[in-house]
Amino acid sequence: MNRIEAVNDFVVKFANVNGSGSSSANELFAKAILQMGVPVSPRNIFPSNIQGLPTWYEVRVSEAGYLGRRGGVDLMVAMNPQTWDADVAEIEPGGYLFHDNTRPLPASKFRHDIHVIGMPLTELCNAAYADPRQRQLFKNIAYVGALSVLLQIDPSVFDTLFAQQYKGKEKLLDANLLALRLGIDYARTHLTQPLGLRVQRSDRVGRQIFVDGNSAAALGCVYGGATVAAWYPITPSSSVAEAFQRYCARFRIDPASGQHNYAIVQAEDEIASIGMVVGAGWNGARAFTATSGPGVSLMTEFIGLAYFAEIPATIINVQRGGPSTGMPTRTQQADILSCAYASHGDTRHVLLFPEDPHECFEHAATALDLADRLQTPVFVMTDLDIGMNQRLCQPFAWDPARDYDRGKVMSAAQLEAGADFGRYKDVDGDGIPWRTLPGTHPSLGSYFTRGTTRDAYARYSERGPDYVANVQRLLKKFATAAELVPAPVQRPAAQSTPLGVIYFGSTSPAMHEALDVLGEAGIHLDALRLRAFPFSTAVADFLAEHEQVFVVEQNRDAQMHSLLVNELALDPARLVRVLHYDGTPITARFITDAITRRLQLGTPPRQPQAKDHHHGECTA
């Protein structure tokens, strides 16, 4: 029987039960490989209950530095009887199945084209530990120890990791070391046949850091000058506010007086949280909220008020599966349209699309600048895959001398000098008016803030011309925003091609690998990664230069495709939708299969059966 042979390039997937304590053990496994200088990209696919339902943890090991999901599994660690059949089916031919063989399984439960490694984990832990909970918890550490032998991971890396994790908690350290040694000793004695998969020391990690996107966005808010956060807990965004609180405790306390120079409010609901953010923004503070799709649905009326009254507000949307409650612990890119046009009436909002934690940090800070500069709500459109999974990325650039872009804020001196202050008057031709902050001057520069129609001087008006002038100015401001938002990133193909592909956000890591695989197969595509809406002229130029452009996104209704067609007045037939929407992060294999089938068949196949069994489609 053939077997998969690979060094520093394979996929390991752990199939566990939620609440069994497997998450920390699986993370230990990923970090051990990282300690050996080999890039890894782990993804935790977990249910929305506390315990009992299936959970998976997938680790992509790639010395080449691919950080997206590849598709397929080379080594399955099957610890959940409920999902056994589906887990075994995912293994590549010639791959490996590691399982607890304390209770023998019938031959029908195995495949003839994979290699099986059994280890009596339950039996070993029952003999080593008296406490039932410890028996369950340390079974996970034991299989990590066994895998370290099978994959030839240097045991010394665990000394470093345990020393960091259990500093000052020596009782926990000793028990974990015992479990790790249990697995190592058993594997060395009984599992003598080496796997075809191997980890070899390398130096490909370099200066990269390992961090989740929610923590990165929170730190970006600190860096960007945010002093107010109002939020209501919602998966998968809650850790943004929690991390912001930790960082404020470090960076927002006056060293001389001990005064806390920040305000963090857990509101009674999402409506209250966005109301507080809008109020703080009106008052001159840099403020943000973190939420997900259901929260945005509740916030839309206040978002419309901030848009029409022109008040800065930053909203970090960590997207999840919807609609309604949907899949709270699964990822999607399905809030694009609801955020781009949030609120009733004619509205358009600025959206930023970070691809990794590094851009979560950068875009969070940029959003606060843009909100002030444009006097409008700005969305940072991250998602669960980026937000809750740790990822390798470039270190954050922190400039202590960074200046905040406060935009057009009129000072008392300007008012005293006789400046003509019209709150909603366009004096510079960019659609952005001047504003004043409360208390700027005792008698000058005041105005009514209202969600109703007004004239250029903020005076109530129901005259049609006043309304038209105002909403047309807002369109002009939106056009100005297109020149200020982060520019798209182009990746030209190795040779001239009439084919292009557009992608954004969390599709990016898988797309990088897919482009390489497609190129090696002779399918060349120029690529454009969107980083913001409104679209710059570079997006329209890219589309005009290609006969056919694939649009890759993670939702059912091709929302980015719709936004491109709507905003740029495109012929929809020139855009081909590549859609992935089962709630798991998209894979390189899904992208390559979808694009290859479309080009081979010349007609839009429905529901291509990609090898990783994820539902989606590729249609014109």
Side-chain angles (χ1 to χ4, degrees):
M1 186 197 325
N2 292 332
R3 69 176 193 167
I4 295 175
E5 303 272 354
V7 177
N8 293 351
D9 184 15
F10 51 86
V11 176
V12 181
K13 191 170 185 177
F14 298 84
N16 301 97
V17 177
N18 201 37
S20 64
S22 60
S23 181
S24 58
N26 298 339
E27 185 178 316
L28 175 70
F29 171 82
K31 287 184 175 180
I33 297 175
L34 194 63
Q35 284 282 323
M36 291 189 67
V38 182
V40 299
S41 182
R43 282 172 171 82
N44 192 11
I45 302 170
F46 59 99
S48 56
N49 75 334
I50 297 174
Q51 63 181 18
L53 290 180
T55 183
W56 294 270
Y57 190 89
E58 185 175 293
V59 181
R60 177 70 192 280
V61 181
S62 172
E63 187 165 7
Y66 292 127
L67 299 179
R69 296 181 69 217
R70 183 198 69 189
V73 176
D74 301 312
L75 168 60
M76 176 68 73
V77 181
M79 301 296 292
N80 187 357
Q82 293 178 329
T83 60
W84 175 275
D85 292 340
D87 295 332
V88 172
E90 272 196 82
I91 304 170
E92 298 282 282
Y96 306 87
L97 170 67
F98 181 97
H99 74 111
D100 182 354
N101 67 355
T102 299
R103 292 185 179 181
L105 294 171
S108 61
K109 286 291 184 181
F110 298 92
R111 284 169 46 189
H112 298 295
D113 61 344
I114 62 174
H115 304 270
V116 179
I117 305 103
M119 177 176 172
L121 288 161
T122 300
E123 179 183 323
L124 291 169
C125 289
N126 285 351
Y129 300 98
D131 180 79
R133 182 59 176 162
Q134 285 190 327
R135 288 173 173 175
Q136 175 61 54
L137 292 174
F138 292 123
K139 187 167 26 174
N140 305 311
I141 300 296
Y143 69 59
V144 170
L147 292 174
S148 72
V149 174
L150 293 170
L151 296 172
Q152 301 180 36
I153 299 173
D154 186 344
S156 67
V157 301
F158 293 103
D159 296 335
T160 302
L161 292 169
F162 278 144
Q164 294 171 352
Q165 187 169 350
Y166 298 110
K167 186 177 181 180
K169 304 174 183 177
E170 278 66 31
K171 284 188 177 181
L172 291 175
L173 173 61
D174 292 342
N176 277 274
L177 285 173
L178 173 62
L180 187 74
R181 178 54 58 185
L182 197 67
I184 290 173
D185 291 345
Y186 184 90
R188 285 176 174 170
T189 304
H190 301 281
L191 306 178
T192 54
Q193 183 178 0
L195 301 186
L197 309 177
R198 183 160 56 91
V199 179
Q200 181 176 290
R201 278 201 177 272
S202 183
D203 60 354
R204 298 303 300 273
V205 175
R207 295 181 60 250
Q208 294 181 96
I209 60 175
F210 196 54
V211 65
D212 64 272
N214 283 357
S215 296
L219 189 58
C221 286
V222 174
Y223 180 59
T227 56
V228 175
W231 65 296
Y232 183 77
I234 182 172
T235 302
S237 71
S238 295
S239 59
V240 175
E242 293 163 355
F244 183 71
Q245 185 170 2
R246 292 195 304 272
Y247 293 133
C248 282
R250 181 176 177 184
F251 297 113
R252 287 272 187 272
I253 297 179
D254 183 84
S257 65
Q259 180 178 350
H260 290 203
N261 297 321
Y262 60 92
I264 302 173
V265 182
Q266 181 176 322
E268 60 267 34
D269 54 34
E270 286 91 350
I271 300 172
S273 68
I274 188 63
M276 294 174 187
V277 167
V278 172
W282 172 83
N283 204 42
R286 290 201 153 186
F288 77 95
T289 187
T291 190
S292 193
V296 172
S297 296
L298 291 168
M299 294 177 181
T300 52
E301 187 172 4
F302 262 123
I303 292 169
L305 170 64
Y307 172 80
F308 200 53
E310 300 182 63
I311 300 171
T314 296
I315 302 161
I316 298 173
N317 181 4
V318 189
Q319 298 168 90
R320 70 190 212 188
S324 188
T325 303
M327 296 189 292
T329 59
R330 296 291 191 266
T331 195
Q332 279 192 355
Q333 297 173 312
D335 298 346
I336 298 165
L337 292 177
S338 65
C339 291
Y341 304 122
S343 186
H344 54 278
D346 294 323
T347 55
R348 280 186 173 93
H349 302 297
V350 176
L351 313 181
L352 306 183
F353 303 107
E355 70 165 345
D356 63 5
H358 180 267
E359 284 198 344
C360 283
F361 172 82
E362 285 192 338
H363 285 10
T366 298
L368 291 159
D369 271 350
L370 287 171
D372 268 357
R373 175 82 175 268
L374 295 165
Q375 302 170 30
T376 197
V378 176
F379 290 83
V380 180
M381 303 293 288
T382 178
D383 58 37
L384 184 146
D385 182 29
I386 303 174
M388 295 193 71
N389 289 313
Q390 292 179 300
R391 190 84 53 83
L392 281 172
C393 66
Q394 292 302 311
F396 307 147
W398 189 288
D399 180 6
R402 183 178 188 271
D403 289 327
Y404 303 139
D405 186 349
R406 299 309 302 264
K408 297 179 182 178
V409 180
M410 194 165 285
S411 68
Q414 288 172 299
L415 292 168
E416 285 282 1
D420 178 21
F421 176 67
R423 174 63 185 95
Y424 299 108
K425 184 178 181 181
D426 183 6
V427 295
D428 300 320
D430 58 5
I432 305 171
W434 285 79
R435 63 174 173 145
T436 57
L437 301 180
T440 297
H441 192 280
S443 60
L444 300 175
S446 61
Y447 63 93
F448 279 107
T449 302
R450 62 174 90 245
T452 51
T453 314
R454 65 273 167 160
D455 66 12
Y457 291 89
R459 296 175 300 212
Y460 181 83
S461 172
E462 293 188 15
R463 293 180 65 252
D466 286 338
Y467 175 79
V468 170
N470 199 63
V471 295
Q472 284 298 119
R473 182 182 54 75
L474 290 172
L475 271 183
K476 188 187 296 183
K477 182 167 74 169
F478 196 69
T480 298
E483 303 169 4
L484 301 176
V485 297
V489 177
Q490 297 198 41
R491 172 177 166 170
Q495 63 185 55
S496 180
T497 175
L499 300 175
V501 61
I502 283 177
Y503 61 102
F504 60 98
S506 62
T507 61
S508 182
M511 195 71 231
H512 292 166
E513 181 173 6
L515 287 168
D516 287 346
V517 173
L518 289 165
E520 290 169 4
I523 300 174
H524 300 284
L525 300 99
D526 292 325
L528 184 77
R529 178 168 68 88
L530 301 176
R531 296 205 296 162
F533 173 72
F535 304 125
S536 69
T537 55
V539 179
D541 292 343
F542 180 86
L543 290 161
E545 291 163 2
H546 297 88
E547 296 175 11
Q548 193 173 64
V549 177
F550 295 90
V551 182
V552 182
E553 49 188 313
Q554 300 184 83
N555 57 71
R556 184 198 68 183
D557 291 343
Q559 294 187 25
M560 183 60 76
H561 174 281
S562 298
L563 200 61
L564 288 164
V565 170
N566 188 54
E567 294 292 325
L568 301 178
L570 297 171
D571 176 5
R574 296 180 55 239
L575 301 182
V576 182
R577 295 172 285 188
V578 178
L579 308 176
H580 182 278
Y581 45 86
D582 72 350
T584 62
I586 196 169
T587 68
R589 183 171 292 171
F590 179 90
I591 297 170
T592 55
D593 284 357
I595 292 177
T596 301
R597 288 173 185 236
R598 178 68 170 85
L599 294 174
Q600 288 176 344
L601 297 177
T603 57
R606 302 290 295 183
Q607 302 285 352
Q609 295 301 304
K611 204 168 186 180
D612 50 351
H613 307 295
H614 290 154
H615 298 297
E617 62 186 55
C618 179
T619 61

